[in-house]
Amino acid sequence: MYSHNKQTRVYTQGRPLKSHEQKMIELLKSELSQDSKEKLLDIGCSDGMFLRHLRSEFASLDLWGLELDDKFIQQGKAQNDQAGVQIMQGDASSVDSSTKYDVILASGILSVFDEPFPILEGWLNCLASNGILIVFGYFNERDLDTRIHYRNHFDDHGWETGLTAYSQKAYQKYFGEKGQVSVDFIPFVPDFDIQEDENPIRSYTVQTKSGKRLIVIGGHIICNMGYMILRKQN
Ligand SMILES: C[S@@+](CC[C@H](N)C(=O)[O-])C[C@H]1O[C@@H](n2cnc3c(N)ncnc32)[C@H](O)[C@@H]1O
């Protein structure tokens, strides 16, 4: 299963929550009570920054993260210990399914894999009965799957993945045929402009004449971003 993505320099600095992360918190608030004690896993959690924000909203949640890069784990360790957030080192393509989570989040990571279905199957195996998996990423509203390999000359790690975008219908078809998992999509469109950055891998927005805001990724690709909500129905 091909994946190679090293464009992580933007995740290494402390920063305020981005609007898609704020919306993720709103989604979680509609799912969980403030004193919920459920077990939550954030896959590709970087240094745990989002989990620490979750701690300030949900004092009793059992918060776990999974991250490939030990540099991030070490970077967030002291703050995570203080917040009661535990980060495991591991690969998102082979998550240990002996532990079950009530909620799994995966933001900005599914697109790293050329073939998303085995990855999602692995994550669903880690989900408790009636659990919920929320994936933030690229989901094409038109019925076309894309696998894009790019090379970023601003921060060169050779040819990389990270812009895979399968169609929403492809996911609906796959899980519809499989059964036991419901699929919903919630679109994400920022309510403010994002300027182009000198690093061409950073997303930005453009506006159509009618004022509709579009997200541009990978320097030149207009794409649909949003949340895919998978619920295990047993
Ligand atoms: C694009 S960043 C997203 C970070 C954060 N979830 C967010 O939404 O801002 C992807 C994160 O996943 C990690 N990552 C990349 N490939 C991974 C893999 N195969 N297994 C686990 N983590 C991975 C990266 O090190 C990075 O921290």
Side-chain angles (χ1 to χ4, degrees):
M1 186 160 336
Y2 188 68
S3 76
H4 170 60
N5 181 273
K6 294 285 170 195
Q7 298 296 319
T8 49
R9 108 179 11 200
V10 289
Y11 302 99
T12 59
Q13 304 123 15
R15 56 168 175 77
L17 281 188
K18 293 181 181 172
S19 59
H20 76 267
E21 292 167 326
Q22 278 161 0
K23 175 140 186 179
M24 179 74 97
I25 288 182
E26 295 311 314
L27 283 173
L28 288 171
K29 282 184 176 169
S30 68
E31 297 287 334
L32 301 168
S33 64
Q34 241 180 334
D35 57 356
S36 169
K37 293 184 172 50
E38 288 172 296
K39 205 172 177 76
L40 179 148
L41 175 67
D42 184 11
I43 297 178
C45 65
S46 190
D47 71 355
M49 187 271 301
F50 184 70
L51 287 164
R52 294 194 297 276
H53 274 280
L54 281 185
R55 171 60 72 226
S56 57
E57 300 285 346
F58 301 97
S60 312
L61 268 186
D62 188 7
L63 294 173
W64 291 80
L66 181 83
E67 170 58 46
L68 189 62
D69 192 335
D70 192 50
K71 166 181 91 226
F72 292 137
I73 299 176
Q74 295 314 321
Q75 181 178 290
K77 189 162 182 355
Q79 286 169 285
N80 290 331
D81 286 349
Q82 203 176 14
V85 167
Q86 312 202 51
I87 313 264
M88 306 170 283
Q89 186 174 18
D91 194 322
S93 63
S94 54
V95 189
D96 173 14
S97 62
S98 59
T99 303
K100 305 292 181 200
Y101 299 86
D102 305 292
V103 182
I104 299 181
L105 310 178
S107 168
I109 177 154
L110 187 63
S111 58
V112 161
F113 299 99
D114 274 351
E115 173 53 77
F117 295 113
I119 301 296
L120 288 170
E121 289 289 358
W123 297 351
L124 287 167
N125 281 341
C126 302
L127 208 54
S129 299
N130 299 312
I132 178 170
L133 165 60
I134 307 179
V135 182
F136 179 72
Y138 313 133
F139 304 106
N140 201 343
E141 283 173 10
R142 309 211 62 201
D143 199 10
L144 186 86
D145 305 334
T146 58
R147 293 173 174 175
I148 296 169
H149 291 191
Y150 65 90
R151 183 168 194 169
N152 184 358
H153 294 282
F154 180 85
D155 184 15
D156 195 345
H157 299 273
W159 286 96
E160 293 184 71
T161 58
L163 302 175
T164 299
Y166 276 42
S167 83
Q168 298 184 7
K169 276 196 180 151
Y171 290 108
Q172 278 155 344
K173 181 168 183 288
Y174 179 85
F175 288 109
E177 284 169 4
K178 185 182 153 66
Q180 297 177 332
V181 175
S182 68
V183 190
D184 291 291
F185 291 94
I186 300 176
F188 171 77
V189 181
D191 51 9
F192 56 89
D193 294 325
I194 303 172
Q195 305 302 324
E196 277 187 67
D197 190 89
E198 60 174 343
N199 184 349
I201 199 60
R202 300 293 300 268
S203 305
Y204 60 96
T205 55
V206 291
Q207 275 192 40
T208 62
K209 273 188 184 164
S210 63
K212 187 177 174 196
R213 204 173 267 112
L214 302 171
I215 299 176
V216 181
I217 63 165
H220 69 297
I221 305 156
I222 289 173
C223 93
N224 307 117
M225 294 193 84
Y227 305 84
M228 178 167 67
I229 318 258
L230 301 178
R231 285 176 202 273
K232 223 175 188 175
Q233 297 172 316
N234 58 17

